[in-house]
Amino acid sequence: MRSLRLINRFAAVVAAGYWMTCYPAPVLAGSECQQPDTQAKINACAVISAKKADQALNQTYQQLKASLHVHQYKLLLDAQLSWIKYRDNHCGLERSFEEGGTLSITTQLDCVKRMSDAREKELRSLLRSQYGFSTPSHSQETLIGPDGIGVAKI
């Protein structure tokens, strides 16, 4: 019985990750995510939010990666792979508290969104410090390098 629960838990974690990477975000009107009225809409909105956070994280990661030397990129890559493993395990733990409930998937996706948002801010801070900036967080902000050339939009 215990092994069956572990298999089910693993399958649920894999399924949530699979949604994030393989399925397009569900098509909902923006207003439907303001006050979703069914569990299916709540789950769909959680997928949309997690995908948006993941896209922003990946965009900032790519910008930072492009600004690093080879040895720095290796450190970033190792850190990011470790962070992804941590995030997935942590969010799996949060989901386990809702195991068997209708909110289990939403709980995991909300955790992925929250942690991805925080990691994106960390990487954006590294990108800014690379160029000696400590400006407040703004989306689509252009960083100007020491040579006066715009180096990245963040």
Side-chain angles (χ1 to χ4, degrees):
M1 187 65 143
R2 178 172 163 75
S3 63
L4 182 58
R5 276 188 278 164
L6 288 174
I7 291 170
N8 286 340
R9 187 176 303 150
F10 176 75
V13 169
V14 169
Y18 190 70
W19 287 355
M20 291 285 297
T21 58
C22 297
Y23 288 107
V27 178
L28 293 176
S31 61
E32 288 183 278
C33 284
Q34 297 294 329
Q35 293 182 341
D37 56 359
T38 66
Q39 188 61 49
K41 287 181 183 177
I42 291 170
N43 289 346
C45 293
V47 169
I48 292 168
S49 293
K51 278 184 168 277
K52 284 180 181 177
D54 191 55
Q55 288 169 347
L57 173 59
N58 287 331
Q59 181 180 14
T60 301
Y61 174 86
Q62 292 301 322
Q63 291 170 350
L64 179 58
K65 175 182 145 183
S67 73
L68 299 176
H69 297 287
V70 173
H71 71 280
Q72 291 171 319
Y73 170 64
K74 169 79 170 93
L75 293 170
L76 173 66
L77 179 62
D78 289 347
Q80 193 66 8
L81 291 175
S82 295
W83 177 83
I84 289 168
K85 183 175 181 177
Y86 168 73
R87 179 202 63 192
D88 291 348
N89 286 330
H90 181 83
C91 292
L93 174 63
E94 283 193 21
R95 179 187 175 137
S96 74
F97 296 130
E98 299 292 337
E99 189 171 331
T102 58
L103 290 177
S104 64
I105 292 170
T106 304
T107 298
Q108 185 169 9
L109 291 169
D110 285 348
C111 175
V112 167
K113 181 206 179 308
R114 186 179 68 250
M115 292 187 75
S116 295
D117 285 344
R119 181 65 176 160
E120 191 274 335
K121 288 177 184 172
E122 290 173 354
L123 296 183
R124 189 172 347 118
S125 177
L126 287 173
L127 183 60
R128 285 194 178 108
S129 68
Q130 173 102 5
Y131 295 101
F133 288 92
S134 59
T135 58
S137 167
H138 297 290
S139 60
Q140 295 301 312
E141 176 180 330
T142 301
L143 293 180
I144 307 298
D147 57 0
I149 298 173
V151 292
K153 282 202 176 272
I154 58 174

